[in-house]
Amino acid sequence: MNDDPSLFDQPQTVEDRLAAEALVVDVDGFEGPLDLLLNMARTQKVDLRKISVLELSKQYLAFVEKAKELRIELAADYLVMAAWLAFLKSRLLLPPDPTEEGPSGEDLAAHLAFQLERLQAMRQAAAQLMARDQLGKDFFARGLPEEMTRVRKVTYTATLIDLMQGYARIRTRDEFRPFVMDRNNVFTMEEALDRLRGMIGFAGQWTDIQSYLPEGWDGDPVRWRSATAATFAASLQLVKEGHAEIKQSDLFAPIQMRRRESPRE
Amino acid sequence: MSDDLQADGDETPRESLFEAPPMGEQERMVEAILFASAEPVSVRDLNDRMPHGCDAAEALVHLRKRYEGRGVQVTKVGDAWAIRTAGDLGFLMQRETVEQRKLSRAAIETLAIIAYHQPCTRAEIEEIRGVAVSRGTIDQLLEMEWIRFGRRRMTPGRPVTFVVTQGFLDHFGLESARDLPGLAELRAAGLLESRALPSGAPQLGEGDVDLDEETDEGQSELFED
Amino acid sequence: MSDDLQADGDETPRESLFEAPPMGEQERMVEAILFASAEPVSVRDLNDRMPHGCDAAEALVHLRKRYEGRGVQVTKVGDAWAIRTAGDLGFLMQRETVEQRKLSRAAIETLAIIAYHQPCTRAEIEEIRGVAVSRGTIDQLLEMEWIRFGRRRMTPGRPVTFVVTQGFLDHFGLESARDLPGLAELRAAGLLESRALPSGAPQLGEGDVDLDEETDEGQSELFED
């Protein structure tokens, strides 16, 4: 590819040559091959749309050669671009082969020109953007923002159903409560039955069931009531089982019980 | 509201030895500095920061007038100046999140007892519920304006009583607390589930005792508060 | 400056289902909220914070006019609003000036490419710059909250896209991405189109290659967010 004599016959000013050399030495300063190409394109001093891609390709390839001479290691990207530009150059120089498929040399050149123009445009846009007034540098936000205090307000609701259920719950619990809470003051029917079963065998005479109350359960009215009820219920159970007889002579008269002599069938 | 200010605010030409900016400009500067500064700024600092020949004190007078009645105010903080939210708009600086919660069981029960037994003392509530009533519960109901203080009981200690409020009646759609259904009606309405007693359990008290299915739950709750 | 506003601003009775405060009051409220916040506040947030039935958007129109030419300005930032000091008064604020983070050339160009081409994939950025985009560059812009992830492109590999943020608009004083300098000219010149690459052209950079199919879609999606 270097056998193209025009590469060295380019009508370049000294300034341009120096610039080209500087490019090579300063290869680290470029952001990739496209950036380098864009810089080279500037030396053509024409509108990017009218740029000679052929010229540019030659210039780039010369750059790569020069870098080799100076033993400067080029990143792979630069070499890929060089290979492609060499290919492009040959396409542009040779008459088009009608049998060959793919884009023409002109298409490829146009695309490269487009890429350069677009990169240039983005550079300018970036510069314009950074030239704008900026927050914290040219214009400012409130220096003393006021804190938003978060107030969490909780509202409570209840429905009439909740209310009534709540009430029903208390009422029923209240009545049920002695079962668990007042175990000390409750004489259960089972206890009364046990007690009566042990004692009934000795009760040949009619005896007031009050006398069967366990000791210590006749003082406190609550305990007395519980023991009386349990004993009465137990006595009914004994009657039902056929072990005892029970009688009450009058309304509110003492309830009396005695052993049944001959158990019923 | 500040039409009268427009005239002298922006254009008044001022004579100054130092060709200070017009007062309208100075006012803009003070406005921008007070706005952007992280702290209140003294007149001296303002003058230091503004171009030579400016009179920050005078600009402040204009600026202050301009903000009269606005959403923010130019206010003096110590010997410095700042822009602050107008006092009446402080509520905008609070983000209020309203959360709706169900009233606690303790509160509902307390409320129910007051409604059914009003006027009702705290001791009575505790007697009926079988547990102490926490101050918070009563306070909450008072704050919700569902209950209020009734007349003091003419008994030793003259304890306060609680009654339900009109707000309570409105909320629950009741004409009066007397309209609350009784136990029998609650049962009829299915709010009280009738259940057979566990066999062998003694049936104490009046005949119409119903042990609803909540008993267990109820028991454990006894020790809740 | 805003005498004509006073008339309809303060007194005009407004009909509203919710008895919203008069427009003059609403304007004060918007003023207070915007002054109190260092960040732009969306119209939606304004309405949320103001009493029921308020129309923050209308109040903003009035407020913006009121501050025309003043030391602070009511500025639009995307779909939000903020108060910022007037650009010509920056010289007064040396004390408030925050050290700007030095951005590399690569970062600045990457930012510009994302802003003008958004939503934009990494491969597109690399194609335009002709060089790989380092991870650090994208990370830095993300960290500054000037760019964020957009929707994934519905092309093979579903590459992520980047878009600019409200913070970006705020920082550069842009109402929207449509107001980017020179945008219309660039578009007219076809420089924002993603042109199909003739096969055989070198693909520079090492990005996830997703260039060709996505181009049309990319355009229609431009500046959507």
Side-chain angles (χ1 to χ4, degrees), chain A residues 15-251:
Chain A
E15 195 181 284
D16 287 344
R17 280 177 188 282
L18 285 175
E21 293 232 334
L23 290 184
V24 176
V25 177
D26 194 27
V27 65
D28 281 344
F30 293 100
E31 300 252 340
L34 219 48
D35 184 32
L36 175 59
L37 276 171
L38 193 56
N39 264 277
M40 289 175 164
R42 291 215 184 94
T43 64
Q44 291 192 17
K45 292 185 174 126
V46 290
D47 188 314
L48 275 178
R49 283 168 192 255
K50 294 175 191 145
I51 197 160
S52 162
V53 171
L54 184 61
E55 194 68 33
L56 197 59
S57 303
K58 290 172 179 171
Q59 214 175 328
Y60 186 92
L61 293 170
F63 159 83
V64 173
E65 280 306 307
K66 189 86 184 163
K68 270 188 201 159
E69 267 173 43
L70 296 173
R71 299 186 179 215
I72 291 172
E73 289 263 344
L74 285 180
D77 275 355
Y78 290 86
L79 302 177
V80 170
M81 178 61 89
W84 188 76
L85 287 176
F87 164 75
L88 174 59
K89 197 182 80 178
S90 66
R91 277 260 169 133
L92 288 172
L93 290 173
L94 298 173
D97 179 353
T99 65
E100 194 152 4
E101 297 199 358
S104 68
E106 278 72 26
D107 289 343
L108 295 175
H111 187 74
L112 180 62
F114 167 74
Q115 280 183 296
L116 290 174
E117 196 187 350
R118 184 173 61 181
L119 180 58
Q120 173 68 15
M122 280 301 111
R123 291 254 157 95
Q124 274 164 3
Q128 276 179 291
L129 191 63
M130 297 315 283
R132 284 184 72 85
D133 281 354
Q134 293 181 39
L135 181 66
K137 178 166 153 274
D138 306 291
F139 62 94
F140 296 83
R142 180 75 192 269
L144 194 55
E146 284 170 52
E147 292 289 315
M148 275 271 277
T149 52
R150 259 171 212 282
V151 180
R152 214 173 75 191
K153 190 177 163 194
V154 181
T155 61
Y156 290 92
T157 59
T159 64
L160 189 56
I161 302 290
D162 295 331
L163 195 69
M164 294 188 301
Q165 277 178 333
Y167 189 63
R169 193 164 56 223
I170 309 161
R171 297 306 297 183
T172 54
R173 183 177 64 208
D174 199 34
E175 284 145 351
F176 185 61
R177 197 154 56 96
F179 178 61
V180 171
M181 292 300 291
D182 295 344
R183 192 168 281 282
N184 287 341
N185 294 323
V186 172
F187 192 61
T188 66
M189 192 176 123
E190 280 80 7
E191 289 172 285
L193 209 47
D194 281 350
R195 185 174 169 79
L196 287 188
R197 282 207 170 104
M199 297 168 80
I200 191 68
F202 306 99
Q205 306 297 315
W206 287 108
T207 314
D208 189 342
I209 63 168
Q210 286 292 323
S211 58
Y212 289 101
L213 294 195
E215 259 179 67
W217 286 76
D218 47 0
D220 177 58
V222 173
R223 286 166 74 87
W224 176 80
R225 211 160 34 229
S226 174
T228 302
T231 303
F232 175 64
S235 68
L236 292 178
Q237 180 65 28
L238 287 179
V239 170
K240 190 178 159 199
E241 289 171 4
H243 297 302
E245 292 173 311
I246 194 166
K247 74 166 187 183
Q248 184 177 31
S249 54
D250 206 351
L251 206 60

Side-chain angles (χ1 to χ4, degrees), chain C:
Chain C
M1 72 195 119
S2 54
D3 303 36
D4 52 331
L5 270 177
Q6 317 278 342
D8 64 53
D10 288 335
E11 254 59 68
T12 317
R14 281 172 51 79
E15 299 221 84
S16 161
L17 284 173
F18 308 105
E19 295 187 60
M23 189 43 70
E25 269 308 297
Q26 296 188 35
E27 200 193 315
R28 288 182 73 231
M29 293 178 190
V30 172
E31 188 176 36
I33 295 172
L34 292 189
F35 261 88
S37 173
E39 303 288 320
V41 185
S42 71
V43 174
R44 189 205 173 106
D45 277 353
L46 285 169
N47 277 327
D48 279 355
R49 289 175 63 176
M50 290 161 67
H52 209 51
C54 283
D55 182 353
E58 192 185 335
L60 273 163
V61 173
H62 296 299
L63 192 69
R64 194 178 204 186
K65 269 204 194 132
R66 185 181 293 274
Y67 277 92
E68 258 167 30
R70 298 272 296 274
V72 293
Q73 305 280 290
V74 178
T75 60
K76 189 165 191 265
V77 183
D79 61 353
W81 294 78
I83 294 182
R84 300 288 179 244
T85 61
D88 64 318
L89 299 178
F91 72 95
L92 292 168
M93 312 291 169
Q94 291 97 337
R95 231 171 281 183
E96 277 70 40
T97 303
V98 268
E99 192 68 36
Q100 303 280 315
R101 197 156 156 186
K102 187 87 180 143
L103 280 180
S104 68
R105 188 169 140 194
I108 292 170
E109 284 181 19
T110 300
L111 178 66
I113 290 167
I114 292 169
Y116 283 81
H117 288 82
Q118 66 172 342
C120 186
T121 66
R122 187 190 187 107
E124 286 162 346
I125 298 165
E126 296 184 334
E127 199 227 325
I128 293 170
R129 296 195 65 233
V131 71
V133 175
S134 81
R135 208 183 156 72
T137 302
I138 296 276
D139 286 351
Q140 186 183 22
L141 295 173
L142 283 169
E143 197 193 313
M144 294 174 84
E145 295 185 346
W146 280 357
I147 64 169
R148 61 174 177 83
F149 291 105
R151 265 185 298 240
R152 280 180 184 277
R153 215 25 92 62
M154 296 312 263
T155 50
R158 295 176 44 78
V160 296
T161 64
F162 299 100
V163 294
V164 290
T165 62
Q166 180 181 282
F168 167 87
L169 298 177
D170 193 18
H171 185 89
F172 292 101
L174 294 162
E175 281 200 15
S176 83
R178 280 170 228 279
D179 298 320
L180 284 163
L183 183 72
E185 294 87 329
L186 288 170
R187 188 174 289 150
L191 289 168
L192 300 183
E193 288 161 30
S194 229
R195 258 185 222 173
L197 212 56
S199 58
Q203 297 205 325
L204 301 162
E206 45 181 306
D208 17 21
V209 185
D210 57 343
L211 297 171
D212 298 285
E213 309 87 320
E214 69 190 59
T215 44
D216 291 26
E217 201 198 327
Q219 286 307 313
S220 65
E221 228 184 304
L222 195 62
F223 302 113
E224 207 175 277
D225 309 48

Side-chain angles (χ1 to χ4, degrees), chain B residues 25-46:
Chain B
E25 268 308 299
Q26 296 188 34
E27 199 191 316
R28 288 181 75 228
M29 292 176 189
V30 172
E31 187 176 36
I33 294 172
L34 293 189
F35 174 85
S37 175
E39 287 164 16
V41 189
S42 68
V43 172
R44 189 204 176 103
D45 272 356
L46 282 170

